[in-house]
Each structure stands twice: as C-alpha cells, then as structure tokens.
C-alpha cells in the first residue's frame, strides 16, 4: 500500500533541491569537522564553510556558502509564491520564514561583520582593535614629534612582484618574497651590500601553515628603491624584536608587518582586571574587567565586562576574551561589530512559534490511536 | 485479575526492598558528614573518601569496608591500613617491572608497593622528564602508580601532627618546652612553644659546635627527631578546618598547613584542640567516645561558619552517596523489561500493568537522583557529559512512559526500559572519572544558559533517541507482523509525531546554543564540531520529515532514517569530544572511539538489513515462486 500520489512542484520548490542541498551540507559538515583536526578550525572554516567552491583534487565542489545560498533562494521563492496560508500550512510557512531570516543574518554577518581583539593593560587606555587573521604592512612616518602618520597596505599587496608607491614619498617598495608562516635563520653566506637591518644577518625560511592559526608568524622580504639613500632589501616578520627603520633625507620611517589594526570611535581604559578562582584550586570561576569607556570628548563612563556579560556600545560589542597574567595584568577583549546580530534572535522566535503552531495542529492526530472508519476493514479484506 | 495486579505491585516493592538490603551500607559514620573544601567545592568527607578510594581501587568501596571507614582508619591508624590490600593493579608487565608477586584478586598493599617503587626511583625520575606521548603503556602505568601511591602517602600523613613522635629526655629542655621528660609528644603539642623553639635554634646556630652544653647537644638531637616528623608537612590534602575569613570563598586549611604555614587564630586553636582529642581517642581504639569528640569538632565548625554554609546540603550529599538512586533505577528498569517479556509471552495485560508499575518506580528513583543533584549543586543537572547522560536518559524514559500511557501497547514500555538501561550503563562507565560533581569553568558558569540551551538540546537528544527506537520497533514489526497494517500505520504516524517533537527541541536547542555563543564569544555560529554535530541532527530530521511530507520517503524508509538518526546523536554527543578541537571540548574520555564505532555499525547494519529483509519478503509475497 502507500500513497502513490505525487504532487506537482514548480521547479524552484522541487523537494529534490532541498534534499540534495541538505545532503551535501551534511557531507560538508562531516568532512569539514574532521578536517579541523588536521588543519585547524580557522582554515577548515575558510575552505569548507565560508567558500563558494573548494577543490577535491582536480574537481571543484560546492562550498558552504553556495549550498546555503541555494537553500535560501529556494526558500524565498517558495514563500513568495506560496498560495496556501491556511492553518495546515501556516506553521510550516512561519518556520520557513524564520529560516530565511536566519540565512539573511548569516549573509550579513559573513560580509559585513568585523572582529578583532583589544589589548589593554591595567592603568592604560587603548582604542586599537587588532584583527585575528588579516595582515597589513604599515609604513609609519615618525618624522614629526607630535604624532605619527601611518599608511597601511592590506594583505592583498603582499604578493611577490607587487609594487607599493606611498603617496608623498619617492619610495618604491617591491615585495620580493612573502610567507604566511616562516622562521628566521641566520645567514650562512657573507651578506651582500644591498641588505639592510635584520636582512643582513637573517633570511626567511617559509614553513607550512600551523593548524593553530595564532602560531603562524608571517614574514616578508621587501626591496626599497626610488630614493637616494638606504635602498636595498629589508626583512620584516610579525612580532619583530627590533623595529626596522628607514631614513630618507629628513624623514624617518618605521616598517611593520602586523595584523590589521582599526581604531574604535571611543577608547577603553582598564581600571582593574580580576580573575576569581574556586577556593583552593586553579580553576577559573569568573573573569571581569572594570573599565572606563572614554568618548572622544573626554567623557568617561564606568562599565564592567565579564564572561557571559559583554559591553555593547555604539554598534560594537566587547567581550571578555582572555588575559595575560603578571604584576600588571593585561585584559584581552574581543571586539565585534556585527550588523546581522539581531537576526538569529528574531529567527529563533519566529521558527519556535511556527513549529509550536505546527505541532499543536498535527500532534494530536499523530500520537492518538487511529480510529478505523466504519466498513473499511471489510473493504481491506476484500481487496487482499 | 485485580488481585494479580495488586500482588504484582507487592512483588515490585519486595524486590525494591531486597535491593535496598543488598546495598545496605555501614551505619552512618559521623566522620562522613565532616566538611572538606576540595576541588573548589565544600563537600562531605564521605564523597572525598569515595573519590580517593576510587583512584586506588577503581571502586567506591572496599569489599569489606565502606570508603569513609577506610579513610578514618587511614587518617588515625595508618600503620594498620598499610597492611591492607587497597591498590588495584592488573597489568602483569607492570608487576614484573616492580618485581611484585601477582595476587588473585589484583589488590596490593602499600607495604609491598612502596619499597618496590623506591627501588625504581631512578627509572621513574627519568620517565617524568620525557613527554607522556612517547612512553609505552607499562611506563605510563608505572608513573600513574607512583602518583597514586604518592597521593595515598599524602593522605595517610594528614593527621600525623597529632601523633606522639617527639621525645625530650633532658629535664631542663623539657621544662623550657613544657613537656614531660621521657614521654612522647606530638608535634601539635610541641609547637605550642614555638617561640622558645625558635630561640633555642637561634642560640645554637651561632655557636661553635664544639662548645655546646649538654642541653644544646640534646637540642641538635631534637632537631634530628623533628626532621622526619616535619617531612609530613606537605600532607595538606585534608582541608577540613574553616578559614578565618568567609568560608565559601576562602580556601580551608589542613592541620599541617595551619601549624606550619600560618599562625592559628584563637578560634582555630580551639578547633585544633578538638581534632587532637578525637585523634587521640581514636588511636586508643575507643570508637564510641571518639564519635563524641568528632561531634564536638563538628559543632565548633558549624559555629565558625555560621549561616554561610548549608549543612543540609552536605548531609544530603552524604545520604545521596549511600542511596545509589541511579543504580536502583536501573534495577527497576530491568525488572520492567523482564515483566514486559512475560506480557509478550502470555499476552495478558496484567503483566504489562505490573511492568508499567516497575517502570514508574524506576523513573521515580531516576528523578529523585536528579533532584538531589540539583539541590546539592544548585544548578541544572546538565553541566558535564556525565550529567547530560543522566538527563538524556531521564527524558528518554519519561517520553516513552508518556507514550506508553497513551498507547498502552507495551511499545513505549520497551523503548523506555531499553533507553533507561543502556544510557545509565554508559553513565556508570563515566562515573569512574572521579568526583562527578565538579565545579564549572567560567564560560559555563551560567545557570540561565545551562537551564535553557543545554536542557533543550539534551531533551532534543532524548527525543531523537526515542524516535530512533520506535523506528527500530517499526522495522521489527514490519518484518515479524506485516499483516497488522493498522498497527503499522499507527506506528508510522507515531514516528512522524516523535520526529517532529525531536526536531523542535534540537532545532531550538541549537539556536539557543548559537545565542549563548553570541553572548559569550561574539559570534552566533563558528562551525565548531559540537555546533556542526547538533546541526547534523537537525538537518537529518528535517530531511526525513520533508521527504515524508513530499511523499519521496515511504514509512519503511522513514523508519530506517530514524534508526540512522541515532548515529547522528551519538556522533554529536560523544564523537565530537574525540576531536578535542574548538571551544566545545569539555568532556574527556578514552576508548570511547571503539564503543562509538560499534554502536554506529550496529545501527547501520540493523537499518540496512531490516530494509533489505522487508523488501525481499514483500517482493516474494507479491510474486511468489517467480
């Protein structure tokens, strides 16, 4: 037995789209999760979930974004063209609407949100947010005594052959070599005359990417030309112990390879960082930072940031992320600016309401004992 | 007929009573209610004793002695306990390495192991310096054994400051130290004249040894006596003395710590005196009088702490340890299953009703166990992997009980008992990791989110398991009773309903998890293994339901799909901890991989074989002999 009736579907709402897209998403989930062991969380996210395509050998396969876009589009089209809004379908339609909201939120977050970390020590103030992954090459003009002028070039410039010509200078900075993860090795051969600073004694050795993203230390070899003095090769690595400087005439510059930095429209002054442990143990019970939020006009407001209780201010959300211990403790706050923040909350309310409605309508029928219609038994016996 | 049902209920109660008798523990030892601040939490010494014994014995009690009695003896008369076989060792190679004669029951005494380990001191030292991953199994077990014996020694020496081990013979010195010459006194007694001792030591430090008087020479001898006594000063595990400050946030003190590292406050001096009296009376073998002294100490502690400490909760925990509610619940689930078998065999509903009664008693014990946990820990019972097992099994059994209450055909009963028994058994294996009532790290330390996200998602796991189990039942029924078409149709509708409920909870639980992550870490979804696992369950259930509605999947396929949903739950629940990646790796286990693989293979085989068998059977029915 069983129903042989197959309803007709418009092409965009055919169940096959949803079934195959969901199946493929499940495959991605399994493969992407297993891959995290080997390549680390961040890289696995980038390759399998945040991409439109990824390569399995010579074969291009759909990535997470493509699958979610397909599901999202199909859902939207189905909702727009939906005819039946009666009680039977209302719950389901509401759930689908909630799902669309969730996917929209995901889209906004993926393309418009920014994350970073803010490091501030007790008694100090900071408004600098460091990106977690993206690099920049910063050229800092330290000539003036009252301030520094910074021009920063995003990671897109860091490819061999790229030429950077900063405005207002005659400098020509050519990228000769770049490695996302590297090691410095002492030069064995005698240094050539064109090598400057660190490059005189060390050279860059590229390494494979570490699964733990934070451990990767980027390095770049630059060739400076276009000016009359101090031209040659300069070597920069992240977290360099000795700053690489360059003098051209009366101006002096610093060259730094670092994670992208952004400035907040307000500053955070750390008054006190407190780490409470369970008595007699080392297990942390709570972390909290007591801060002043300092506005541009100098106004200070006291705030407390602790685990599960972030600070929300002017579109930014600051979370207690980590700390570095010591005499003077440094609090590390995670700073997130996410326009799609409200969507998951909205979507969860909508989806919950829709499912509850659907359950209330259908559950009594599904769980109850089935009542046989009169006379049907004889019909069944005759048919058998 | 009614008489039989009543008889059945009486049988259940008798069974329960018999169980209770079998598990009857020793008379309540007042030492069990003494509070100790251990691993960040104020707990009864009874729990502490069980956990310590667990580390040595792999069980929470000795064959002939309760943990707390063993601890009491170890603290006051360690010489006797050293002669008892307490350490469990199974590895023959390890015994050979230590040159220890193997024993039938695998239990070894401290007196045998301690010299054996001393002989291997050099080897153990060099093993400590190498990374653990590079060691062989025997080497790792050797280090573990060394750790366990060391922990045992630390525990055994906790109260030696009260044992009389110092003797002063010279009358002059004895008078200055206010002791009776020629008798042995304890360090506790001796150190009351702390200042005098310091002066004496100072005096001889700056003097030429050749110019010592007899008294000063005896001083040197005294210092030699003190050396082995003071070697015990690191035995600071027994933190049973409340601090001078707030008792819930400040670390408690052990007697040695109080005597050596701090100057006791007048109140603490009083407490030490009471403890000393108890130790002396215990050592003399007068247990009854000793209990009186222990009671006095308890009263002093209660007075010290004031209302800040909830003694009711500590007493409740001591009771809970002895009650073994979860073991009792399993016993009743097994009884229910056996009675259900009688129902299936004889077809009489009276057996089903009695079985249902047993199930109700079982779920009552299960619920009781969960409620006591909530009262003791003051948080929802889902804070660790072990607790989630207890909760999911409860939800599973509860859901199936409700199903049985509605449908009254034994299927709910079967599912309830199977879920209850299997999951509780899994839970028991996790309970050997030590004290299951641990403190939570900062990020988890939120009753609100524990009560919303974790409760919802674990309820979702439970409901998916119920749906999966009903899927198994459908496949079995389709194979064994294919003629009961109405029954199959109803079962199919039940499966649909259960899958829908499961989808509701897992979907909502996953989203709540995302919201919690957004509140804590700043991102709603991070493609973390745990998040991916939960999403896997949601997607699979969603897929099955969509396929069913769109008539792409028939009831048979739907049932197979639900069986496979169990795999999704197992992977999301236990599998992700094997990866130990991401912000979610809280549960730590070993050897889970094999069990997980076995379970998943079984489900795949059941599902596949069931499907093929049904299809073959139906094809042969439709076209017999062709």
């Amino acid at each position: 037995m069983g129903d042989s009736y197959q309803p007709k579907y418009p092409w965009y709402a055919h169940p096959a789209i949803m079934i195959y897209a969901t199946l493929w998403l499940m495959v991605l989930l399994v493969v992407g999760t297993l891959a995290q062991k080997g390549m680390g969380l961040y890289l696995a996210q980038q390759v399998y979930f945040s991409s439109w395509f990824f390569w399995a050998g010579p074969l291009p396969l759909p990535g997470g974004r493509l699958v979610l876009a397909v599901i999202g589009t199909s859902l939207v089209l189905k909702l727009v063209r939906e005819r039946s809004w009666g009680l039977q379908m209302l719950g389901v339609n509401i759930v689908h609407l909630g799902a669309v909201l969730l996917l929209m939120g995901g889209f906004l977050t993926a393309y418009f949100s920014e994350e970073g970390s803010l490091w501030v020590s007790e008694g100090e103030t900071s408004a600098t947010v460091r990106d977690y992954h993206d690099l920049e090459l910063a050229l800092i003009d330290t000539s003036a005594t009252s301030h520094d002028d910074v021009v920063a070039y995003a990671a897109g410039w860091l490819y061999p052959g790229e030429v950077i010509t900063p405005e207002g200078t005659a400098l020509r900075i050519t990228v000769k070599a770049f490695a996302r993860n590297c090691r410095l090795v002492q030069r064995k051969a005698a240094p050539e005359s064109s090598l400057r600073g660190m490059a005189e004694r060390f050279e860059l050795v590229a390494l494979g990417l570490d699964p733990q993203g934070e451990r990767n230390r980027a390095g770049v070899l630059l060739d400076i030309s276009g000016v009359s003095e101090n031209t040659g090769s300069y070597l920069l690595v992240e977290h360099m112990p000795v700053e690489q400087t360059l003098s051209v005439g009366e101006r002096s510059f610093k060259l730094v390879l670092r994670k992208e930095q952004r400035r907040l429209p307000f500053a955070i002054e750390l008054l006190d960082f407190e780490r409470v442990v369970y008595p007699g143990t080392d297990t942390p019970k709570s972390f909290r930072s007591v801060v002043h939020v300092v506005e541009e006009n100098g106004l200070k407001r006291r705030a407390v940031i602790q685990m599960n209780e972030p600070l929300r201010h002017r579109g930014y959300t600051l979370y207690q992320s980590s700390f570095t211990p010591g005499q003077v403790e440094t609090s590390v706050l995670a700073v997130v600016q996410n326009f799609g923040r409200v969507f998951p909350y909205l979507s969860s309310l909508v989806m919950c309401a829709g499912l509850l409605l659907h359950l209330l309508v259908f559950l009594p029928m599904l769980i109850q004992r089935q009542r046989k219609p009169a006379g049907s038994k004889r019909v069944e016996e005759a048919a058998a | 007929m009614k008489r039989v049902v009543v008889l059945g209920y009486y049988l259940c109660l008798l069974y329960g009573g018999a169980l209770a008798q079998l598990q009857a523990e020793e008379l309540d030892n007042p030492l069990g209610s003494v509070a100790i601040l251990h691993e960040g939490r104020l707990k009864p010494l009874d729990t502490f004793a069980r956990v310590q014994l667990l580390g040595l014995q792999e069980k929470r009690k000795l064959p002939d002695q309760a943990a707390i009695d063993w601890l009491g003896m170890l603290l006051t008369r360690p010489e006797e306990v050293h002669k008892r076989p307490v350490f469990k060792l199974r590895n023959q190679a390890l015994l050979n390495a230590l040159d220890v004669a193997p024993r039938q029951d695998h239990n070894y005494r401290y007196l045998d192991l301690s010299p054996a380990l001393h002989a291997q001191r050099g080897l153990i030292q060099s093993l400590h310096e190498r990374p653990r991953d590079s060691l062989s199994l025997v080497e790792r077990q050797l280090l573990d054994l060394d750790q366990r014996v060391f922990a045992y020694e630390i525990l055994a020496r906790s109260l030696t400051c009260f044992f009389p081990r110092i003797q002063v013979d010279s009358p002059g010195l004895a008078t200055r130290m206010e002791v009776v010459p020629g008798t042995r006194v304890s360090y506790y007694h001796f150190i009351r004249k702390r200042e005098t001792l310091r002066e004496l030591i100072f005096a001889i430090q700056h003097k030429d040894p050749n110019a010592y008087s007899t008294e000063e020479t005896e001083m040197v001898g005294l210092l030699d006596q003190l050396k082995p006594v003071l070697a015990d000063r690191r035995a600071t595990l027994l933190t049973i003395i409340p601090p001078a400050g707030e008792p819930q946030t400040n670390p408690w003190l052990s007697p040695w710590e109080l005597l050596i590292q701090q100057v006791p406050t007048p109140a603490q001096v009083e407490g030490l005196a009471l403890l000393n009296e108890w130790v002396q009376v215990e050592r003399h073998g007068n247990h009854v009088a000793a209990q009186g002294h222990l009671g006095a100490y308890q009263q002093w502690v209660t007075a010290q702490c004031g209302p800040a400490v909830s003694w009711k909760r500590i007493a409740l925990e001591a009771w809970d340890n002895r009650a073994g509610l979860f073991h009792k619940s399993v016993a009743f689930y097994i009884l229910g299953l056996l009675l259900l078998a009688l129902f299936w065999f004889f077809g009489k509903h009276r057996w089903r009703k009695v079985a249902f009664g047993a199930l109700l008693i079982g779920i009552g014990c299960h619920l009781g166990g969960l409620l006591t946990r909530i009262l003791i820990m003051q948080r929802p019972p889902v804070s660790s992997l072990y607790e989630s097992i207890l909760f999911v099994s409860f939800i599973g059994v509860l859901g199936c009980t409700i199903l049985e209450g509605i449908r009254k055909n034994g299927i709910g009963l079967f599912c309830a008992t199977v879920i209850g028994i299997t999951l509780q058994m899994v839970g028991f294996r996790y309970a050997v990791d030590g004290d299951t009532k641990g403190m939570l790290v900062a990020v988890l330390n939120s009753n609100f989110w524990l009560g919303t996200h974790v409760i919802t998602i674990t309820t979702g796991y439970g409901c998916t398991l119920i749906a999966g189990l009903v899927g198994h039942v459908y496949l079995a029924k389709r194979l064994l009773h294919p003629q009961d078409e109405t029954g199959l149709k109803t079962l199919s509708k039940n499966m649909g309903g259960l899958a829908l409920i499961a989808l509701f909870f897992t979907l909502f639980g996953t989203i709540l998890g995302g919201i919690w992550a957004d509140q804590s870490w700043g991102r709603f979804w991070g493609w973390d293994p745990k998040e991916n696992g939960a999403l896997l369950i949601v997607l699979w259930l969603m897929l099955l339901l969509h396929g069913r509605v769109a008539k792409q999947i028939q009831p048979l396929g739907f049932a197979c799909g639900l069986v496979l949903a169990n795999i999704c739950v197992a992977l999301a629940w236990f599998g992700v901890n094997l990866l130990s990646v991401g912000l979610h790796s809280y549960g730590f286990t070993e050897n889970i991989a094999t069990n997980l693989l076995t379970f998943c293979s079984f489900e795949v085989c059941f599902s596949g074989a069931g499907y093929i068998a049904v299809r073959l059977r139906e094809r042969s029915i439709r076209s017999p002999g062709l």
Side-chain angles (χ1 to χ4, degrees), chain A residues 138-199:
Chain A
L139 182 70
I140 306 173
D141 187 339
T142 50
S143 320
T145 45
S146 60
H147 64 274
D148 288 341
D149 289 312
V150 182
V151 184
Y153 296 89
W157 290 95
L158 297 168
Y159 284 94
E162 289 287 342
V163 180
I164 300 171
T165 46
E167 265 184 35
T169 73
L171 289 167
R172 266 180 75 84
I173 305 176
T174 316
V175 176
K176 283 175 67 179
F178 171 74
R180 186 58 187 83
N181 191 18
C182 72
R183 193 161 60 98
L184 287 181
V185 168
Q186 281 214 321
R187 254 184 216 284
K188 298 217 178 55
E192 303 153 33
S193 59
S194 64
L195 300 168
R196 304 253 173 246
M198 204 88 163

Side-chain angles (χ1 to χ4, degrees), chain A residues 9 18 26 29 33 36-37 45 49 278-279 281 284-285 308 310 312 319 341 344-345 348 351 365-367 369, chain B residues 39-40 407 439-440 442-443 445 493-494 497 511 515-516 518-520 522 524 526-527 529 532 540 550 579:
Chain A
Y9 296 99
M18 189 250 137
M26 289 177 73
L29 281 173
T33 308
Q36 287 175 14
K37 187 110 179 117
Q45 273 177 26
F49 301 113
Y278 288 108
T281 67
K285 186 176 179 188
N308 293 322
R312 299 186 207 283
Y319 303 84
R341 242 195 94 240
Y345 294 86
S348 64
M351 278 206 267
M365 185 266 283
L366 286 170
I367 295 293
R369 218 187 291 263
Chain B
E39 286 175 345
R407 304 283 294 113
M439 300 311 286
L440 293 175
V443 67
N445 203 3
K493 282 203 152 52
N494 290 164
I511 295 182
I515 294 177
W516 186 6
D518 181 58
Q519 294 282 322
S520 268
F524 175 82
W527 302 106
N532 290 348
W540 185 244
L579 290 174

Side-chain angles (χ1 to χ4, degrees), chain B residues 248-307:
Chain B
Q248 288 282 21
T249 50
N250 288 304
W252 285 39
L253 302 152
S254 65
W256 268 116
E257 198 178 342
L258 195 52
L259 289 174
I260 298 278
Q261 290 177 19
Q262 303 195 16
V263 179
T265 64
Q268 285 171 338
V269 166
E270 199 187 321
L272 280 171
L274 290 167
L275 257 183
N276 178 50
E277 276 169 35
W278 170 66
V279 174
Q280 301 313 324
V281 175
E282 263 288 345
R283 277 180 73 79
H284 282 110
N286 195 344
H287 299 299
V288 177
Q291 288 195 4
H293 287 283
L294 196 60
Y297 177 73
Q298 261 297 73
Q299 278 179 0
W300 172 80
V301 173
T302 316
Q304 273 298 100
C305 295

Side-chain angles (χ1 to χ4, degrees), chain B residues 217-526:
Chain B
T217 320
E218 216 213 317
M219 191 64 212
V220 174
L222 189 65
L223 288 176
D224 274 339
Q225 272 193 68
L226 277 177
K227 251 199 220 130
V229 173
L230 282 173
D232 290 350
R233 70 186 182 282
R234 289 203 194 93
T236 51
L237 197 55
L238 201 71
T239 46
I240 56 175
I241 303 175
E246 215 277 330
Q248 288 282 21
T249 50
N250 288 304
W252 285 39
L253 302 152
S254 65
W256 268 116
E257 198 178 342
L258 195 52
L259 289 174
I260 298 278
Q261 290 177 19
Q262 303 195 16
V263 179
T265 64
Q268 285 171 338
V269 166
E270 199 187 321
L272 280 171
L274 290 167
L275 257 183
N276 178 50
E277 276 169 35
W278 170 66
V279 174
Q280 301 313 324
V281 175
E282 263 288 345
R283 277 180 73 79
H284 282 110
N286 195 344
H287 299 299
V288 177
Q291 288 195 4
H293 287 283
L294 196 60
Y297 177 73
Q298 261 297 73
Q299 278 179 0
W300 172 80
V301 173
T302 316
Q304 273 298 100
C305 295
V309 172
S310 166
W311 294 102
K312 275 213 187 99
R313 290 218 315 257
I314 295 182
L316 181 65
E317 188 176 342
W319 174 83
D320 184 49
N321 289 341
R322 289 197 316 280
L325 285 170
F326 294 119
H327 284 84
K328 293 205 167 78
S329 73
V330 173
F332 280 102
Y333 293 151
I334 296 177
L335 177 64
L337 193 58
L338 292 172
L339 291 168
L340 182 69
L342 286 175
F343 165 60
W344 279 336
F345 201 65
F346 292 116
K348 303 273 194 237
H349 273 270
R350 66 184 78 137
W351 291 115
R352 192 192 61 79
K353 289 187 181 148
V354 178
F356 194 64
L359 177 66
L360 285 178
I361 300 177
I363 206 178
C365 294
H366 200 152
L367 181 64
L370 280 176
L371 285 175
T372 42
R373 270 192 100 90
I374 294 175
L375 285 172
I376 292 167
M377 296 308 289
Q378 301 278 299
R379 68 185 183 213
V382 282
S383 63
S384 64
L385 195 60
Y386 171 71
E387 284 193 337
S388 71
I389 299 174
L390 296 174
F391 187 74
V392 173
S393 58
F394 174 72
I395 291 290
V397 177
L398 184 68
C400 294
T401 311
I402 295 175
L403 192 67
E404 177 67 23
I406 298 173
R407 304 283 294 113
K408 295 193 186 358
N409 58 2
I411 291 178
L413 204 65
F414 173 72
C415 296
T417 47
V418 167
I419 289 183
I421 296 168
T422 30
L423 282 179
Q424 288 280 52
M425 294 294 199
V426 173
F428 293 149
R429 305 253 333 250
Y430 274 87
V432 295
D433 270 348
D435 187 10
T436 59
K437 301 187 178 81
M439 300 311 286
L440 293 175
V441 289
V443 67
L444 285 181
N445 203 3
S446 162
N447 274 1
F448 174 74
W449 288 113
L450 280 179
T452 48
H453 157 64
V454 189
I455 293 267
T456 316
I457 194 82
T458 43
T459 307
Y461 287 171
C463 294
T464 315
L465 289 178
I466 298 176
L469 213 52
V470 175
H472 283 80
V473 172
Y474 181 90
L475 276 177
K477 199 178 170 74
R478 185 88 178 242
L479 202 59
L480 301 171
H481 289 149
Q483 60 272 27
D484 181 11
E485 279 176 2
T486 335
L488 281 173
K489 218 173 184 149
T490 327
L491 209 54
S492 167
K493 282 203 152 52
N494 290 164
M495 285 196 299
L498 287 168
L500 209 53
I501 299 176
L503 177 66
F504 174 76
F505 281 109
T506 38
L507 178 65
F508 206 41
T510 308
I511 295 182
L512 279 176
I515 294 177
W516 186 6
D518 181 58
Q519 294 282 322
S520 268
W521 302 319
R523 97 277 185 281
F524 175 82
W525 193 262

